[in-house]
Structure formats: C-alpha cells, structure tokens
Amino acid sequence: MSSVLGVSLGAGAVRVARPQTANPADTPAFDSRGAHAFSGAPNPFGPGNDSGRGQRPFAGPDAFDIQAVPTGDRRVEELAADAIGALVAADPRIAATAISYRDEQHARALRAELARRQVTNYELVPDVIAALEFLEYSGDLAQHLPGPGFGTVALYDLGASGLSVTVLDTATRQICFSERTSDISGDYLDALIREQQIASGRIAHPEGHDGLIELDALCRTAKEQLSSSSAVALPSPEGLVLLSQENFEALIMLAVESSARMARDVILRSEQPVQAVAVIGGCAQIPLVARVLRRWLGVPVVVPSAPETVAARGAALLARPVQQRPAAAPFPAAADDLQLPPDPSPSWLAGPGAVEKFSRRREVSIAGVTVAALVVVAAIGVTLGWGPQVLQHDSQSSDAATTSPSATSTHPAATTTAAASPTTDVTNESLAAPPPRYDPTTTTTAPPPPGPNTITIIPGLPPVVVPTLPPLFPPAAPPGN
C-alpha cells in the first residue's frame, strides 16, 4: 500500500499530513496527467473536470495523520527538507510528496535545501491552491458557491508571521488579487498579551533573551486556549499569566478590525463578486476574527476544522509522483557529443614550414602573372614595330636579375623569420603577401636618350623608341629637272 505526503511551511512550525485510506488495501492511483485517477482532480494550475471531486478513497477530510515540528531557531526550509528526507527514507511506501509554498523566493530556498539532501520525488504547489483544494474536498465552500467548481472566494490566512488575503477563481484556479502584511500576525497578538501581563504587574519582565522567548511561548499557549475557553491561568517563573476571553478580545480588537479593513480593500480591488471568505491559519481559531469579518465584509465566512493544517492536507490531496509527469523536452546535446564540422583551415597551414611553402607558391604565382604581362606587352610591341627592342631589353633584365646574388639570399631570410615567429601568428603571416624585393645591384639596360621618337607606353617599363617610317610616296622632284 502506497501513501502520499502533504507539507506546509509556517513561521512557527512545519506540518506534515498523511491521509488515511478508507480501506487499508486501497492504493492511490494516478492517471496519465499525474492527478489522482479516483478524484478527477485537474492540474492545480488550470481548469479541469471536477465531476469526480470528493470520491477519493480517503477516510474523510478529518482523517489525516498530522505531525507538527516547531521551527525554533532553525530556518523553516532547512527543517522541512530534513523532515521530508527522514520520512521518505524511513518509509518506502511514500509514493509522492507535495509541498506548499508562499512565494517564489520561498520556493527557491526550499528547492536548494531539498537538492542538498538529494530529495527528488516531490512537487511544489502554491499554498492558496492547496488550501482551496482541501476546502472543495471537504465541502466547506459548496453551500456558498453557485455550483460545483464555480465561484470566487477569498482566503484570509492569518499566521504567525503575517496576514495574506487572496481572491481566487475556483473554476480556473487563477489568483485575481493578493496582498500580504506583517502589521498583524500571531506573533504580534502574543506580544500584546505579554505587554498587557507585564503592565498589570502580575508578570515581571524576564531577564535575558531566553526568558523573553519562554514568556512569549506561554502567551501563545494562553491565546490558543482562549479559543475554546473563557479564561486561562498559566504559571511561569516570572508570575501567573491570567487572562479572560473578554479582556483578550478587547486587547486585539483594533488589530482584527484593521485586518478586516484590509480584506475588504483587497476584495474591492479584485473587482470580483466574492461569494464566501475562508479563514485559515493558526489565528483563524480565534472566534473574534470570524465575527469581525462577517460584520465588515457582509459575506459568509467559513472556518474549517484545524485551520492551521488546511494547506498541508490540501497539498497531500495534490501529491503525485514525479515519474507520472510529462517528460520534459530534452536539452541540447553536450559539447562532447556534438559533431563539430572539420577545421576549415587547410592542413598545410599547420607547422613551422607553412610560411616558407606558402611564400614559394606566392612567388611562383607572381612570376606567372609577370610573364603573362610581358607576353601581352610584346604582342603590342610587335604590332607597333618595337617588339625586338622590348624582348631584348626584358631578356637582359631577366638574366641580370636571375644572376644577382641578392636574389638568392631571400629564401634563407624568410625561413629564419618564419621559424622565429610565434605559432599563433603562422596563419596570419602565411596569408600576407611577401614584401616586394628590391635589388640595387641588378644591372639593367640604360634607357634610350629622350627624343622625338621616344614614347613611354606603360609606366615603370623602359621607354620605347619608335622607328621613323619612310614616307609612303616619294617627294615630288623640284621643278626644272
């Protein structure tokens, strides 16, 4: 037989709820959505079919095993993670765990603590959604709503650390408006009792921080007992805590009315027709709270049994194993698994000798271009009649350049430079064209002296002497011959 857990985190205690099944042989079933198959409960964050609500195989809304662990001086997220890890390790029958959270910061801190303890089979649900789930399951709101799964309710959650008022659409599970304040809280009411007892002279002011904490705990106990009795008398080392319910209500009246005014403002700002108000949290058991809310709001006020455990019991109803959730989209493959494209750089660019090889290829390419240019120039010269001079001049220049000793010293210098350069600059140097070589010792044919027939066809090349062509027709003979 499997089981589920519901966990709620409060400022004063961490509460764990485990529902009891009507038949010990029953095993909670889950459908393809991860929801309870016997309840038809939809995803808590969206609408769904509510026809099967209330048909769970649990013994009833009050049949829950509740465990409360006081926080003390520990962080509530750390305490909750320890409690969940211990329960899951001790009972392998626990198939799912749901934890209610107040806000995103609260959820992030809780995830970090659970990850540190390697707890994975859990899910987080908003505390207002968990509370609404239990209120619908218990039927506390059914008589005040227009129909099953329809209507708008306000949740008045007064706990140890503050007050939260939230307006919810029961059909869509959407939060219409929400507000939280720490001006009124359970701790604030405890402080009012403490100061009143010290001011009356029955209690001496405790010495030290530890004595103050003990007195606050005693005042909290008196507040809880006044929810069901007319007076309390609790002894302490500093004296007797003596308080009647009438005096207690007069002491907290202004604070409760302030909270009712805040709830009314939240409902007005939500612009929703609220059919009922549900009062939850530890301070919901104070009878004055419900009476003041009814007078200020003018709508039905519902106080469920054990209101401080509503969020934990609702989380248990929403618990589902993480294995039943839809599989998440796969992440991109890791960098080691990716097939990287081949390196676009040719293999001959790697290595110390790459510069020299590439320089030689560039030299051959430049030489080919030069020869082609000379062929074109020679063809033009033949056409104009000065081809022999150009070809003869180029032959002499080429011979002189080839036999020049400075030309043979170019490659050793380039090789030495390439070998001494860093490896990271090999590619850049190989892509750069070699600098032009200048040889001052190369002998060239002296250009012809300038004259009327000397013409420079291409700048940079020697001028060309155009031969004087004979006249096409001989001159006429002088008269008289």
Side-chain angles (χ1 to χ4, degrees):
M1 179 180 66
S2 62
S3 180
V4 295
L5 290 180
V7 184
S8 66
L9 281 62
V14 173
R15 294 177 174 85
V16 181
R18 179 181 296 187
Q20 301 172 2
T21 57
N23 186 350
D26 290 338
T27 300
F30 301 91
D31 61 12
S32 59
R33 297 173 301 166
H36 289 286
F38 46 76
S39 68
N43 188 314
F45 306 102
N49 180 18
D50 298 319
S51 60
R53 289 187 183 277
Q55 300 178 4
R56 295 175 172 86
F58 299 150
D62 297 327
F64 284 81
D65 295 328
I66 306 294
Q67 293 177 320
V69 183
T71 56
D73 296 333
R74 300 186 62 186
R75 293 175 54 248
V76 64
E77 296 86 4
E78 180 183 353
L79 180 61
D82 287 340
I84 295 171
L87 289 173
V88 172
D91 191 353
R93 298 175 300 171
I94 297 176
T97 301
I99 311 167
S100 65
Y101 67 93
R102 186 174 62 246
D103 50 32
E104 189 59 33
Q105 181 180 2
H106 194 193
R108 284 196 298 268
L110 186 57
R111 289 192 193 97
E113 295 295 338
L114 291 170
R116 190 172 294 111
R117 289 155 182 80
Q118 298 181 355
V119 178
T120 57
N121 190 14
Y122 72 92
E123 63 175 336
L124 301 180
V125 295
D127 54 0
V128 293
I129 300 299
L132 180 60
E133 182 72 17
F134 177 79
L135 292 171
E136 290 187 336
Y137 167 67
S138 64
D140 292 330
L141 294 176
Q143 57 181 340
H144 305 294
L145 299 179
F150 297 96
T152 305
V153 299
L155 295 182
Y156 176 100
D157 186 357
L158 182 56
S161 61
L163 168 65
S164 298
V165 180
T166 306
V167 177
L168 283 167
D169 188 333
T170 60
T172 61
R173 293 295 200 273
Q174 295 296 322
I175 297 176
C176 303
F177 200 87
S178 181
E179 188 174 333
R180 180 174 176 82
T181 181
S182 58
D183 293 340
I184 177 174
S185 63
D187 292 343
Y188 175 70
L189 301 183
D190 299 339
L192 290 178
I193 298 175
R194 180 193 67 206
E195 296 302 323
Q196 189 267 349
Q197 293 294 306
I198 294 176
S200 65
R202 286 189 297 269
I203 295 292
H205 198 287
E207 296 180 359
H209 181 67
D210 295 338
L212 192 62
I213 292 178
E214 293 178 2
L215 180 57
D216 287 343
L218 193 64
C219 294
R220 184 178 306 110
T221 303
K223 176 189 67 179
E224 295 171 354
Q225 292 184 4
L226 285 172
S227 301
S228 58
S229 61
S230 59
V232 294
L234 301 176
S236 69
E238 288 78 17
L240 182 65
V241 175
L242 182 61
L243 188 63
S244 65
Q245 190 178 61
E246 183 180 359
N247 292 336
F248 173 63
E249 291 181 352
L251 185 64
I252 66 173
M253 177 61 75
L254 291 178
V256 175
E257 288 184 342
S258 176
S259 69
R261 186 182 301 107
M262 170 185 165
R264 183 191 61 183
D265 294 341
V266 170
I267 293 174
L268 291 176
R269 285 196 290 270
S270 69
E271 299 180 353
Q272 299 295 325
V274 173
Q275 282 85 27
V277 176
V279 183
I280 60 176
C283 296
Q285 301 184 58
I286 302 174
L288 179 65
V289 173
R291 294 201 308 267
V292 172
L293 289 175
R294 289 189 186 97
R295 186 172 68 248
W296 276 77
L297 303 179
V299 296
V301 176
V302 177
V303 181
S305 61
E308 71 278 4
T309 65
V310 167
R313 288 185 284 176
L317 298 176
L318 292 173
R320 54 184 178 177
V322 296
Q323 291 84 353
Q324 298 294 335
R325 299 180 189 173
F331 287 96
D336 297 337
D337 300 334
L338 294 177
Q339 298 295 332
L340 297 178
D343 188 359
S345 301
S347 58
W348 49 268
L349 286 180
V355 176
E356 180 180 359
K357 295 179 180 179
F358 189 71
S359 300
R360 291 178 180 178
R361 295 192 180 189
R362 293 296 300 268
E363 291 176 2
V364 172
S365 177
I366 293 173
V369 173
T370 304
V371 171
L374 292 177
V375 170
V376 173
V377 171
I380 296 174
V382 169
T383 304
L384 298 178
W386 43 266
Q389 292 90 336
V390 173
L391 294 178
Q392 181 181 2
H393 169 75
D394 184 73
S395 175
Q396 294 176 357
S397 300
S398 301
D399 294 342
T402 305
T403 57
S404 174
S406 62
T408 60
S409 63
T410 302
H411 292 297
T415 304
T416 304
T417 304
S421 62
T423 306
T424 57
D425 295 333
V426 171
T427 303
N428 294 336
E429 292 182 1
S430 63
L431 296 178
R437 292 175 297 172
Y438 175 72
D439 187 4
T441 60
T442 302
T443 58
T444 59
T445 305
N453 295 337
T454 302
I455 301 175
T456 300
I457 302 299
I458 299 176
L461 293 180
V464 177
V465 178
V466 179
T468 301
L469 299 178
L472 185 59
F473 300 98
N481 293 337

